[in-house]
């Protein structure tokens, strides 16, 4: 009997065994069933957007790259595309192809990582070991091509920093072949092995209507039958010259999300082969100005986890006036609550993991509306407040210079 | 789903058995050295003898990890905080004299942050050994 009094509220997180990142889920339970979930973000706020305003565009590139460890190239490319649009830079075709190559390799390593994490969350650790072993091939390839395993630092304003020599192509193809064979095995495994299918089918359901209404992106949306992919809908880099299929699935559950990601892996291998075949000759970068003319731009990018949006406003100096990052996980967090409803508590880790969350990328400052003592202050007021606060505690802040006073 | 129930249970067993006879995917790392590829970006090294003190690296460093200090006439000392360095290689890229080089030495873990601050001493005064009167003092006097 559903009885309001029998509802038990269980706080899961910020520190919890389900994920490596802190996030708080307030779960209302009736027996084993989840009736509602309240999420709270903001435990990992790092102030990157504000940090970007204090650094030059070139320095921002390396800061933005560190928004996310897994999709580092995604964030850097989304940012650099926005800045290039403001500055009116046309980057060389070869640079576009190299950016696309790194992007697809990144998708390969991200999806393999997800497959392992998903396996781990359902207690299938053999899959974790296998897929992470295979992922090492891509990581080593990154170290060779870009000079780092995680933060590739491949982008620069107006192109890319490193060329990929023709001698390296056979090695890339060899690794792609090896990975393709392994992925085929995983697909066969997912389709025939009862452990995966039984554990994942019907878990974390998200209908197509809900996916669209809640603004889900990436594999989460595509596994609910929402056919959206920025690479096709709003082509950037070299995607308009390449052939690929957008993988969708109508299972609407965690199994569907696994199927979509495995299918996307196969598409990525095909894309990498096409890129290496069609890679044009020419320069890899054009000269970029230090000062970017005033203007604003929004850049969309299909990260492995979904659509990544960067907004940059320039004011004519060498530093941006505003940088806004909308990480894919932020778009997908809304749908987590929907997926968990009417599910079992034991499914929470895999349902949350199924959107491939990256909470550190997502975290922004949060304003507590209507909370006790909450108040909005302007800069002047804040300075006055700070001066008063210190004076009450016996500190004389009059000799401390603040930014507002310098011009006076 | 029902059709998967009776089809091929234990699909992974052959693969598991094969893994029994394979070499392990891991290496005996600290005992067997791991060598990074040639262009790997790790510990930056400053060849101070070529430094002209333009401070392009200091201005371009995204994390403010580099300091260049003049210690004498046209002699500069470089200090790099490896704890702040993000190993992007931007300094090596912008240096007009190609003074900074990123080596592939990636084993930089330390127990104390202070040990991560590396100082690259300035080269000895050019004519100091041959002619003791040459050097900054003579300029100050003249």
């Amino acid at each position: 009997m559903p009885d309001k009094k029998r509802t038990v509220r269980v706080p899961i997180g910020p520190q919890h065994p389900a994920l490596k990142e802190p996030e708080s889920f307030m779960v209302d339970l009736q027996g084993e069933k989840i009736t509602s979930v309240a999420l709270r973000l903001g435990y990992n706020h790092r102030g990157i957007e504000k940090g970007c305003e204090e650094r030059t565009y070139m320095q921002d590139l390396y800061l933005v790259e560190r928004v996310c460890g897994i999709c580092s190239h995604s964030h850097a490319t989304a940012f650099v595309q926005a800045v290039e649009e403001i500055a009116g830079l046309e980057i060389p075709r070869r640079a576009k192809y190299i950016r696309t190559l790194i992007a697809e390799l990144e998708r390969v390593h991200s999806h393999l990582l997800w497959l392992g994490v998903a396996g781990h969350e359902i207690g299938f650790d053999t899959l974790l070991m296998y897929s992470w072993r295979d992922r090492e091939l891509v990581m080593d390839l990154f170290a060779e091509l870009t000079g780092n395993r995680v933060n590739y630092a491949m982008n620069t304003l107006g192109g890319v920093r490193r060329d990929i020599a023709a001698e390296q192509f056979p090695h890339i193809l060899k690794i792609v072949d090896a990975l393709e064979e392994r992925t085929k095995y995983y697909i066969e495994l997912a389709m025939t092995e009862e452990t995966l299918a039984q554990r994942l089918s019907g878990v974390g359901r998200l209908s197509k209507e809900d996916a669209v209404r809640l603004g889900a992106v990436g594999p989460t949306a595509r596994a609910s039958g929402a056919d959206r992919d920025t690479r096709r809908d709003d082509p950037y880099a070299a995607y308009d010259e390449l052939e690929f299929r957008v993988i969708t699935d109508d299972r609407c559950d965690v199994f569907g999300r696994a199927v979509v990601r495995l299918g996307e892996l196969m598409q990525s291998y095909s894309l990498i082969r096409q890129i290496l075949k069609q890679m044009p000759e020419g320069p890899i970068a054009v000269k970029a100005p230090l000062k970017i003319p005033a203007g604003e731009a929004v850049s969309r990018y299909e990260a492995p986890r979904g659509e990544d949006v960067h907004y940059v406003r320039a004011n004519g100096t060498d530093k941006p006036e505003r940088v806004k990052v909308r990480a894919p996980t932020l778009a997908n967090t809304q749908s987590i609550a929907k997926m968990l409803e009417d599910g079992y508590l034991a499914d929470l880790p895999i349902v949350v993991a199924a959107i491939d969350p990256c909470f550190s990328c997502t975290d922004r400052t949060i304003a507590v509306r209507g909370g006790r003592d909450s108040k909005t202050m302007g800069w002047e007021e804040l300075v006055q407040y700070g001066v008063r606060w210190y004076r009450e505690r016996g500190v004389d802040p009059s000799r401390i210079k603040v930014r507002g006073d310098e011009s006076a | 789903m029902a059709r998967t129930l009776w089809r091929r249970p234990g699909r992974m067993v052959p693969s598991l058995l094969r893994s029994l006879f394979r070499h392990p995917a891991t290496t005996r790392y600290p005992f067997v050295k791991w060598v990074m590829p040639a262009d790997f970006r790790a510990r930056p090294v400053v060849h101070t003898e070529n430094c002209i003190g333009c401070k392009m690296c200091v201005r371009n460093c995204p994390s403010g990890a580099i300091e260049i200090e003049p210690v004498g006439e046209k002699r500069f000392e470089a200090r790099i905080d490896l704890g702040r360095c993000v190993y992007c290689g931007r300094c090596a890229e912008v240096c007009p004299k190609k003074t900074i080089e990123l080596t592939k030495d990636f084993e930089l873990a330390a127990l104390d942050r202070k040990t991560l601050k590396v100082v690259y001493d300035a080269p000895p005064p050019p004519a100091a050994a041959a002619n003791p009167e040459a050097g900054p003092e003579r300029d100050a006097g003249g």
Side-chain angles (χ1 to χ4, degrees):
Chain A
M1 288 286 120
D3 182 0
K4 196 119 207 199
K5 282 179 188 165
R6 295 268 174 96
T7 302
V8 179
R9 174 164 287 191
V10 181
I12 298 180
Q15 272 79 40
H16 50 83
L19 295 162
K20 308 294 174 288
E21 290 177 284
E23 213 61 68
S24 168
F25 303 91
M26 272 294 177
V27 184
D28 281 348
L29 286 174
Q30 249 170 12
E32 286 270 309
K33 282 228 164 176
I34 297 173
T35 51
S36 74
V37 183
L39 272 103
R40 188 178 161 157
L41 304 169
Y43 294 96
N44 252 338
H45 179 60
R46 294 169 293 171
I48 286 186
E49 288 177 1
K50 192 70 192 164
C52 282
E53 295 166 21
E54 304 292 321
R55 289 168 174 80
T56 64
Y57 288 99
M58 269 303 191
Q59 291 171 328
D60 283 346
L61 252 179
Y62 305 104
L63 182 61
V64 161
E65 188 162 46
R66 281 154 181 85
V67 168
C68 181
I70 305 296
C71 14
S72 58
H73 186 74
S74 306
H75 284 281
T77 311
F79 175 78
V80 87
Q81 278 177 180
V83 179
E84 279 161 2
E85 194 182 318
I86 301 171
L89 288 172
E90 184 60 42
I91 72 162
R93 272 186 74 214
R94 191 177 173 87
K96 284 184 178 173
Y97 269 81
I98 293 175
R99 272 185 194 175
T100 318
L101 174 68
I102 302 295
E104 286 309 314
L105 284 171
E106 186 178 76
R107 198 177 314 277
V108 170
H109 105 74
S110 176
H111 282 357
L112 283 173
L113 177 128
W114 178 84
L115 187 66
V117 171
H120 174 69
E121 298 296 355
I122 59 169
F124 193 178
D125 277 303
T126 315
L127 186 60
L128 166 78
M129 302 290 174
Y130 277 3
S131 65
W132 281 40
R133 179 191 68 193
D134 300 336
R135 175 173 168 266
E136 273 308 294
L137 292 173
V138 195
M139 303 307 278
D140 288 343
L141 186 63
F142 271 131
E144 207 171 297
L145 295 179
T146 69
N148 204 321
R149 282 163 56 91
V150 177
N151 293 307
Y152 324 120
M154 206 58 172
N155 284 315
T156 186
L157 277 181
V160 290
R161 291 171 74 196
R162 279 189 193 201
D163 203 357
I164 291 173
E167 297 86 69
Q168 285 170 309
F169 288 6
H171 183 53
I172 302 173
L173 287 173
K174 214 176 98 191
I175 284 173
V176 168
D177 287 343
L179 285 172
E180 187 171 23
E181 198 189 309
R182 291 300 298 171
T183 309
K184 276 184 185 155
Y185 172 66
Y186 293 133
I187 291 174
E188 203 196 325
L189 187 79
M191 293 303 178
T192 55
E193 163 78 45
E194 58 184 281
T195 322
L196 273 174
Q198 286 217 63
R199 182 67 185 87
L200 301 180
S201 292
V203 171
R205 292 195 68 83
L206 182 73
S207 66
K208 185 180 174 182
E209 291 72 41
D210 282 333
V212 173
R213 189 171 56 86
L214 297 168
V217 292
T220 312
R222 290 195 283 272
S224 291
D227 189 9
R228 37 169 83 159
D229 189 321
T230 316
R231 292 177 289 172
R232 182 200 59 199
D233 303 338
D234 184 11
Y236 54 91
Y239 284 110
D240 48 350
E241 298 174 24
L242 302 168
E243 289 284 321
F244 65 100
R245 212 153 48 82
V246 175
I247 307 285
T248 55
D249 198 271
D250 46 18
R251 285 187 179 87
C252 303
D253 55 12
V254 177
F255 190 57
R257 277 156 224 153
V259 170
V260 165
R261 286 196 173 91
L262 285 168
E264 280 182 13
L265 278 174
M266 297 304 283
Q267 291 300 310
S268 287
Y269 301 140
S270 136
L271 275 167
I272 292 167
R273 290 209 183 90
Q274 288 176 50
I275 292 164
L276 294 183
K277 210 177 192 178
Q278 301 178 16
M279 179 92 78
E281 291 296 318
I284 56 163
V286 290
K287 205 167 158 46
L290 275 178
K291 287 183 180 172
I292 303 295
E296 57 183 355
V298 171
S299 153
R300 300 165 72 197
Y301 180 101
E302 186 72 24
R305 293 181 161 110
E307 187 191 28
D308 183 19
V309 183
H310 276 233
Y311 166 78
V312 181
R313 187 163 71 216
N315 55 5
T317 60
D318 59 349
K319 288 170 187 163
E321 193 169 281
R322 178 79 171 99
V323 177
K324 168 85 186 109
V325 181
R326 206 291 318 266
T329 304
L330 188 67
N332 281 334
T333 39
Q334 291 282 331
S335 49
I336 293 182
K338 188 77 202 166
M339 288 176 201
L340 286 169
E341 269 172 33
D342 295 330
Y344 289 103
L345 180 65
D347 292 338
L348 187 133
I350 181 62
V351 170
V352 175
I355 69 156
D356 199 1
C358 182
F359 289 119
S360 299
C361 321
T362 302
D363 279 356
R364 304 285 168 261
T365 45
I366 49 168
V368 181
R369 275 197 213 148
R372 260 189 316 153
D373 306 331
S374 82
K375 198 177 159 199
T376 314
M377 284 187 195
W379 173 247
E380 288 299 317
E381 207 182 335
L382 186 67
V383 171
Q384 292 306 320
Y385 175 80
V387 169
R388 221 169 36 240
W389 195 89
Y390 277 105
R391 204 161 271 156
E392 277 166 17
R393 283 154 184 81
V395 183
D396 179 20
S398 57
R399 286 174 62 198
I400 301 169
K401 265 197 163 178
V402 288
R403 213 202 297 179
D405 291 353
E406 279 167 25
S407 54
Chain B
M1 202 181 88
R3 78 196 144 83
T4 62
L5 288 181
W6 46 271
R7 263 178 62 185
R8 319 287 298 269
R11 191 73 192 74
M12 245 175 159
V13 170
S15 188
L16 283 169
L17 287 175
R18 227 174 299 140
S19 295
L20 276 178
F21 303 101
R22 279 173 62 144
H23 285 292
T26 48
T27 57
R28 289 166 50 78
Y29 164 61
F31 312 107
V32 181
K33 278 275 176 207
W34 185 262
V35 182
M36 279 298 176
D39 287 339
F40 197 73
R41 299 189 311 267
R43 181 202 290 278
V45 169
V46 187
H47 303 291
T48 44
E49 61 273 15
N50 297 329
C51 183
I52 53 169
C54 65
K55 297 202 180 176
M56 280 297 277
C57 50
V58 179
R59 272 198 303 261
N60 276 284
C61 181
S63 56
I66 315 175
E67 280 173 54
I68 302 281
E69 285 288 325
V71 291
E73 199 199 354
K74 287 186 182 167
R75 295 193 301 125
F76 301 93
E77 181 186 280
R79 284 193 289 258
I80 296 188
D81 187 347
L82 296 177
R84 291 188 72 92
C85 180
V86 296
Y87 306 95
C88 62
R90 184 77 186 131
C91 49
E93 207 173 82
V94 294
C95 182
K97 289 283 173 189
K98 299 282 163 254
T99 301
I100 306 177
E101 178 197 5
L102 264 75
T103 60
K104 50 182 183 171
D105 171 22
F106 65 96
E107 292 158 312
L108 304 171
L111 290 171
D112 187 0
R113 278 190 79 88
K114 283 182 205 126
T115 56
L116 287 170
K117 289 184 179 156
V118 191
V119 180
Y120 296 96
D121 287 326
N131 182 3
E133 281 165 50
E137 291 86 1
R138 192 189 59 177
D139 278 4

